[in-house]
Amino acid sequence: QVHLVQSGAEVKKPGASVRVSCKTSGYTFTTCDINWVRQATGQGLEWMGWMNTDSGNTGYAQKFQGRVSITRDTSISTAYLDLAGLSSEDTAFYYCARTGCGDYDFDYWGQGTLVTVSS
Amino acid sequence: SYELTQPPSVSVSPGQTARITCSGDLLTKKYAYWCQQRSGQAPLLIIYDDDKRPSGIPERFSGSTSGTVATLTISGAQVEDEADYYCYSRDNNTNPIFGGGTKLTVL
């Protein structure tokens, strides 16, 4: 059974960085891409970027270029989202989701991680 | 930048048919997908490749696309279908893009 389990909630000060992890199980990690999507309170879904977990290639939404990084550790089937230069506008739930395998994209999602940015 | 446009809200009575639209120029060339997000939960894919339904999704959910408009139809909406619904597709760079979401009220 496929599972994507994310790390716990974070509280950060403005200007700081945050790392969110996404530990996968139930499938071969390197056969699927991992995407990161965020959702501010009461707002819609916003795609941030993706990683080919086999090659390590990444792609990021233009809005986040320069302050977002997606990495992975294949030995523990885990992907990471790093976001730098946090501001209150980055307060949101962050989700990882799987694409590029199975019958359709975004078939499995993590449970979400709340990142709160507050002074 | 490319956008997918959805109505902010749709309201129906239980048993009625709910239709949620998603407009985007690239929908003539790219598939539309739909996900359901209940309050406090992660999104759940309910329609892929315009009109296909993953296993376990009730038959009352269906999708269609005509030209630049994709439509999610819920035939005989139930109270438990009350949720936010998002369409998504891909832009010319094959990056995912989400619509703004539609809040479905069933009462």
Side-chain angles (χ1 to χ4, degrees):
Chain A
Q1 196 170 6
V2 174
H3 290 287
L4 281 65
V5 179
Q6 299 181 219
S7 49
E10 301 268 7
V11 179
K12 296 291 183 180
K13 293 193 181 302
S17 298
V18 69
R19 166 169 280 199
V20 180
S21 67
C22 174
K23 183 170 178 57
T24 71
S25 61
Y27 72 99
T28 302
F29 179 67
T30 52
T31 60
C32 303
D33 301 334
I34 290 292
N35 291 250
W36 289 92
V37 176
R38 79 175 187 180
Q39 184 175 39
T41 303
Q43 301 300 308
L45 301 171
E46 181 176 35
W47 178 77
M48 300 180 69
W50 72 283
M51 163 174 273
N52 179 312
T53 55
D54 186 24
S55 66
N57 288 342
T58 55
Y60 303 116
Q62 191 170 7
K63 175 178 179 177
F64 301 101
Q65 292 271 2
R67 68 183 190 105
V68 67
S69 177
I70 299 173
T71 59
R72 92 284 198 212
D73 185 338
T74 57
S75 69
I76 55 172
S77 302
T78 299
Y80 302 94
L81 171 74
D82 290 293
L83 188 62
L86 293 171
S87 72
S88 59
E89 295 181 352
D90 294 314
T91 294
F93 275 94
Y94 290 77
Y95 295 98
C96 60
R98 198 178 77 158
T99 62
C101 58
D103 292 331
Y104 42 86
D105 288 340
F106 294 97
D107 56 353
Y108 288 93
W109 294 67
Q111 83 278 17
T113 297
L114 177 61
V115 175
T116 302
V117 183
S118 173
S119 56
Chain B
S1 62
Y2 182 52
E3 292 183 350
L4 294 172
T5 303
Q6 298 182 235
S9 63
V10 168
S11 182
V12 297
S13 299
Q16 288 188 327
T17 295
R19 292 183 179 85
I20 299 172
T21 58
C22 172
S23 300
D25 290 343
L26 292 181
L27 291 178
T28 58
K29 297 185 288 187
K30 307 282 188 180
Y31 283 126
Y33 303 77
W34 293 91
C35 63
Q36 175 194 66
Q37 187 180 33
R38 292 194 172 105
S39 180
Q41 297 185 16
L44 171 70
L45 184 82
I46 57 173
I47 295 290
Y48 68 100
D49 291 357
D50 288 348
D51 58 7
K52 297 179 176 59
R53 196 173 48 248
S55 62
I57 301 302
E59 291 184 6
R60 64 181 181 273
F61 292 94
S62 63
S64 62
T65 298
S66 178
T68 60
V69 180
T71 302
L72 171 69
T73 300
I74 308 173
S75 303
Q78 301 183 7
V79 173
E80 69 224 44
D81 298 332
E82 195 162 281
D84 294 325
Y85 291 85
Y86 294 89
C87 65
Y88 60 94
S89 185
R90 292 186 180 266
D91 63 18
N92 279 325
N93 295 318
T94 72
N95 293 327
I97 181 163
F98 291 89
T102 299
K103 181 178 181 59
L104 175 67
T105 302
V106 183
L107 53 75

